[in-house]
Amino acid sequence: MQKRSKIAIVGAGMVGSATAFSLLQAGVAQELLLIDRNTDKAEGEAMDLSHGVPLAYAVQVKAGTYEDCQGADIVIITAGAAQKPGETRLDLVKKNTAIMKDIIPQVVRHTPESILIVVTNPVDVLTYAALKISNFPESRVIGSGTVLDSSRLRYALSLETGVDTRNIHAYVLGEHGDTEFVAWSRAHVAGTPLAEYYANVLGRPLDEKTKSDLARHVREAAYDVIDKKGATYYAVALALNRTCRAILRGERSVLTVSTRVEGIYGVPDVCLSIPCVVGRGGVEKKIPFHLDDEEVKNWQKSARAMAEFTESLPIE
Ligand SMILES: NC(=O)c1ccc[n+]([C@@H]2O[C@H](COP(=O)([O-])OP(=O)(O)OC[C@H]3O[C@@H](n4cnc5c(N)ncnc54)[C@H](O)[C@@H]3O)[C@@H](O)[C@H]2O)c1
């Protein structure tokens, strides 16, 4: 009998439950398992989702424990605390690293061949922590990275250019957060460099102001949503859906997930987002990506910001 595809989600909060809903609606895996330290929350979400199964796909949706992770192809980790007012980023790193130390050994014990996708913020630091704690090969420890930010950018560019988002190829690289940057030099609309598209089709230059306004809009998007509704979860759920599909179907899709990038443009041992080929093995290839001089500086700045945390991570 063929093995059933299975995704476990640790953390059944806003992001975890929205992700489960998105995966169920698209029939991405045959089994979905929700785990949360708040067992009522996990059970309630699983019940609610399971009541829609006959209207969606034949998916088994359950709440459970780490033992139930056995045979999971993918384990998505969204458990964690959000940054509280007055709390520093370092406080958050310490708190969420402790949560990773609680969760990951239990996951590894029960599903040692799975692919881990870390979503909890700060995602690049915690992806690195997950890599160290799990001792998994780096291809199987993925951060949700800037898949979401690149999607935000493509949506904004589609409104600017009047072209379907699927024909916009543009990437946000580096940290998922304050030091992220747009690789403008590589952006194109179906093969036409973006600057050329602006000049020849829109009749205006892709000038510094346009670029910095777009980059700021993308970088601050999460803050804007959080200001208005308290949290972001639908778009990240779709980013996770896209990443899980690429893995389970062996799609070899190019996605800007967070991965170990030591040595790329001379950076230390940290995790950051670059375009990766994502398939059945997780990160199957990291695409050597040409950046211009300013982009290289931005990349190195992101890496320095991450190294400040990863060099002293409380994981031993
Ligand atoms: N990477 C991204 O693109 C992205 C986007 C949105 C949110 N996030 C991050 O995702 C995380 C979750 O956000 P949310 O809105 O779902 O938060 P939430 O508070 O709604 O959910 C977090 C859940 O984790 C559970 N939890 C906490 N510690 C646990 C543990 N040790 N074991 C099991 N479960 C535990 C809590 O009970 C809660 O249900 C946050 O860190 C947030 O910043 C990341």
Side-chain angles (χ1 to χ4, degrees):
M1 209 172 61
Q2 221 189 355
K3 184 192 162 308
R4 285 162 65 76
S5 51
K6 176 168 172 177
I7 299 177
I9 301 175
V10 185
M14 301 308 300
V15 175
S17 54
T19 301
F21 183 56
S22 168
L23 293 169
L24 167 61
Q25 263 200 324
V28 174
Q30 290 161 303
E31 292 184 30
L32 293 176
L33 171 70
L34 297 181
I35 299 173
D36 199 292
R37 71 173 171 199
N38 177 347
T39 50
D40 274 348
K41 173 81 168 128
E43 280 168 16
E45 295 293 357
M47 283 163 70
D48 194 4
L49 289 161
S50 67
H51 299 161
V53 164
L55 311 170
Y57 285 89
V59 179
Q60 186 188 73
V61 189
K62 288 198 314 191
T65 62
Y66 291 99
E67 276 176 31
D68 300 312
C69 276
Q70 206 171 2
D73 301 280
I74 299 174
V75 180
I76 301 175
I77 302 176
T78 76
Q83 199 163 357
K84 298 226 164 67
E87 201 176 44
T88 67
R89 221 163 130 81
L90 186 60
D91 295 334
L92 184 70
V93 167
K94 283 187 185 150
K95 201 151 63 173
N96 285 345
T97 302
I99 291 178
M100 295 296 133
K101 279 167 78 176
D102 167 34
I103 293 170
I104 290 170
Q106 305 192 68
V107 169
V108 170
R109 194 168 316 130
H110 296 291
T111 182
E113 300 303 323
S114 59
I115 292 174
L116 301 181
I117 304 182
V118 178
V119 189
T120 309
N121 275 321
V123 66
D124 301 286
V125 178
L126 295 180
T127 303
Y128 186 85
L131 183 65
K132 294 286 166 185
I133 296 165
S134 66
N135 229 354
F136 276 8
E138 60 190 61
S139 55
R140 290 202 279 119
V141 183
I142 296 174
S144 54
T146 56
V147 177
L148 169 59
D149 315 71
S150 297
S151 173
R152 287 175 174 145
L153 174 67
R154 287 168 62 207
Y155 183 67
L157 281 171
S158 133
L159 295 180
E160 284 259 308
T161 57
V163 171
D164 186 342
T165 52
R166 289 172 297 183
N167 297 117
I168 309 265
H169 300 272
Y171 299 106
V172 176
L173 305 182
E175 178 196 5
H176 166 69
D178 296 342
T179 67
E180 68 183 36
F181 65 97
V182 177
W184 292 111
S185 69
R186 314 305 291 170
H188 64 92
V189 178
T192 299
L194 192 62
E196 225 176 88
Y197 189 92
Y198 265 72
N200 298 343
V201 182
L202 302 184
R204 61 190 163 98
L206 176 63
D207 55 20
E208 288 310 314
K209 178 166 179 351
T210 307
K211 289 197 280 191
S212 85
D213 286 351
L214 280 162
R216 185 172 1 93
H217 164 76
V218 170
R219 195 171 53 245
E220 293 178 0
Y223 297 115
D224 293 341
V225 176
I226 290 167
D227 268 354
K228 288 184 191 291
K229 59 173 257 187
T232 71
Y233 36 91
Y234 294 130
V236 69
L238 286 165
L240 291 163
N241 177 325
R242 179 77 186 86
T243 308
C244 289
R245 265 188 292 145
I247 293 170
L248 288 183
R249 297 187 194 169
E251 286 180 357
R252 296 184 177 152
S253 303
V254 176
L255 297 169
T256 52
V257 290
S258 186
T259 186
R260 190 182 210 167
V261 293
E262 187 178 16
I264 299 178
Y265 288 107
V267 300
D269 189 16
V270 290
C271 290
L272 288 176
S273 290
I274 50 163
C276 295
V277 177
V278 179
R280 201 64 194 81
V283 170
E284 295 184 355
K285 286 192 188 76
K286 299 171 196 177
I287 301 181
F289 209 63
H290 180 84
L291 298 174
D292 70 19
D293 290 350
E294 195 190 332
E295 290 159 359
V296 170
K297 279 190 201 141
N298 287 332
W299 169 256
Q300 291 170 339
K301 189 173 159 198
S302 251
R304 277 197 303 276
M306 293 304 94
E308 269 181 39
F309 294 113
T310 52
E311 278 164 8
S312 57
L313 265 188
I315 45 180
E316 300 311 330

